[in-house]
């Protein structure tokens, strides 16, 4: 790519090179060569200064490992809308491999397939939602869910996710991650938030307190992590990470961190 940019006949470097042949004085040639060097340095810098994109769940898992956090669970949800024929073909494919559960509700039919065993570090749920109105697009929701994380699980997760995306989905799919950490006597919300800020170098931070009655979310913090690809805008700032302090049904507390926004049912 850099070679094509550098030697394209329309690029200023070539024009500058042609000009050098027309210059006779040594001073002019040195000045022109210096300018040419600056242009080359600029092009090289642009070619190699793009943000390095990483897998969000891998980052969250490494964050938990480094801080010895007690994990409640981790979850990756992949969503995609697709044409009905392709979705029906997917249902036929999945039912040859996994047990099917069918749920008819209102104006749609939901097919659920479970891929997991007791000795596996995580399981996969395949959900295919077919509207009764055949003109409406179908929706596929695939969930990877586990309760532990280490280097072996990390490798298995990466392999499983890549296979799912290649076999069943396209580049149009949307991916959401969530990591839930248990509250303890040695860490509170502020300390967890500060560790996340430092580890991920979170920018554009904003915090909201939930005043909704019976809400399980006590506090939500949003921010932006440069190495994570997807983001949205909130109050004119990019956001792609969501941290929440959550109270469980029995009063237990946990801290959730996810991207680009937590979609789990608290």
């Amino acid at each position: 790519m850099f070679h094509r940019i550098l030697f394209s006949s329309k690029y200023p470097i070539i024009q500058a090179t042609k000009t050098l042949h027309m210059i006779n004085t040594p001073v002019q040639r040195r000045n022109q060569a210096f300018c040419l060097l600056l242009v080359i340095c600029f092009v090289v810098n642009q070619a190699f200064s793009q943000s390095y994109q990483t897998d969000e769940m891998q980052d969250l898992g490494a964050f938990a490992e480094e801080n010895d956090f007690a994990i409640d669970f981790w979850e990756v949800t992949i969503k995609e809308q697709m044409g009905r024929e392709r979705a029906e073909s997917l249902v036929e494919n999945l039912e040859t491999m996994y047990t099917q559960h069918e749920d008819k509700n209102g104006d749609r039919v939901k097919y659920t397939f479970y891929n997991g065993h007791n000795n596996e570090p995580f399981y996969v749920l395949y959900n295919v939602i077919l509207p009764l109105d055949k003109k409406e697009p179908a929706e596929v929701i695939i969930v990877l869910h586990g309760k532990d994380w280490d280097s072996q699980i990390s490798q298995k997760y990466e392999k499983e996710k890549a296979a799912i995306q290649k076999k069943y989905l396209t580049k149009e799919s949307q991916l959401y991650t969530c990591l839930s950490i248990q509250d303890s006597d040695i860490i509170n919300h502020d300390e967890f938030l500060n560790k996340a800020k430092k580890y991920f170098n979170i920018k554009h931070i904003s915090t909201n307190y939930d005043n909704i009655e019976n809400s399980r979310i006590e506090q939500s913090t949003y921010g932006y992590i440069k190495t994570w690809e997807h983001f949205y805008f909130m109050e004119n700032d990019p956001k792609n990470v969501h941290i929440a302090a959550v109270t469980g049904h029995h009063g237990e507390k946990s801290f959730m961190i996810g991207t680009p926004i937590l979609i789990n049912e608290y």
Side-chain angles (χ1 to χ4, degrees), residues 86-244:
R86 184 160 169 251
E88 289 176 342
S89 177
L90 177 56
V91 170
E92 293 175 0
N93 188 352
L94 291 171
E95 65 186 3
T96 63
M97 297 182 289
Y98 312 117
T99 302
Q100 171 189 312
H101 173 73
E102 182 177 331
D103 176 29
K104 293 183 179 180
N105 185 4
D107 56 358
R108 57 87 170 149
V109 180
K110 179 180 179 180
Y111 298 92
T112 300
F113 303 88
Y114 174 80
N115 174 18
H117 303 282
N118 292 333
N119 60 341
E120 292 292 333
F122 61 88
Y123 64 78
V124 183
L125 281 180
Y126 297 88
N127 301 286
V128 183
I129 302 171
L130 297 177
L132 296 182
D133 183 352
K134 295 186 177 183
K135 295 180 181 179
E136 295 293 326
E139 184 176 24
V140 176
I141 304 174
I142 301 175
V143 180
L144 297 87
H145 182 104
K147 294 188 176 182
D148 293 298
W149 189 269
D150 56 31
S151 59
Q152 290 184 335
I153 296 174
S154 171
Q155 293 175 6
K156 183 175 178 61
Y157 154 76
E158 190 63 36
K159 184 178 180 180
E160 186 74 21
K161 188 192 74 169
I164 288 171
Q165 291 177 317
K166 181 179 181 180
K167 189 173 183 179
Y168 302 123
L169 303 171
T170 71
K171 293 181 179 180
E172 300 301 318
S173 60
Q174 296 176 311
L175 189 145
Y176 303 86
T177 62
C178 174
L179 174 69
S180 178
I181 300 298
Q182 298 174 13
D183 187 13
S184 68
D185 295 333
I186 61 175
I187 186 170
N188 56 36
H189 177 266
D190 290 339
E191 186 176 354
F192 178 79
L193 183 58
N194 287 334
K195 285 181 179 293
K197 288 178 183 178
K198 183 177 180 180
Y199 185 88
F200 293 108
N201 191 25
I202 302 175
K203 305 295 185 182
H204 305 300
I205 296 172
S206 60
T207 298
N208 297 327
Y209 293 90
D210 199 331
N211 297 319
I212 301 175
E213 187 176 359
N214 297 324
S215 174
R216 295 172 57 196
I217 307 173
E218 295 180 359
Q219 184 176 344
S220 283
T221 299
Y222 302 88
Y224 174 72
I225 297 174
K226 184 179 180 181
T227 56
W228 292 357
E229 181 177 5
H230 301 290
F231 63 91
Y232 63 97
F233 281 95
M234 177 186 291
E235 298 176 352
N236 299 320
D237 287 327
K239 308 285 186 182
N240 63 2
V241 62
H242 180 189
I243 301 172

Side-chain angles (χ1 to χ4, degrees), residues 31-86:
N31 291 341
Q32 191 66 39
F34 178 72
C35 292
L36 177 60
L37 180 61
L38 289 178
V39 172
I40 293 174
C41 290
F42 172 78
V43 173
V44 172
N45 180 67
Q46 290 298 308
F48 293 98
S49 64
Q50 299 300 320
S51 299
Y52 173 67
Q53 305 298 342
T54 61
D55 180 277
E56 291 89 340
M57 189 58 243
Q58 297 283 14
D59 285 350
L60 292 177
F63 170 59
E65 281 192 289
E66 180 167 310
N67 290 278
D68 293 322
F69 289 141
I71 296 177
D72 275 327
F73 68 87
W74 61 267
E75 193 166 276
V76 174
T77 303
I78 311 174
K79 293 185 175 186
E80 182 175 336
Q81 287 191 341
M82 62 177 60
R84 187 178 187 88
E85 289 186 5
R86 184 160 169 251

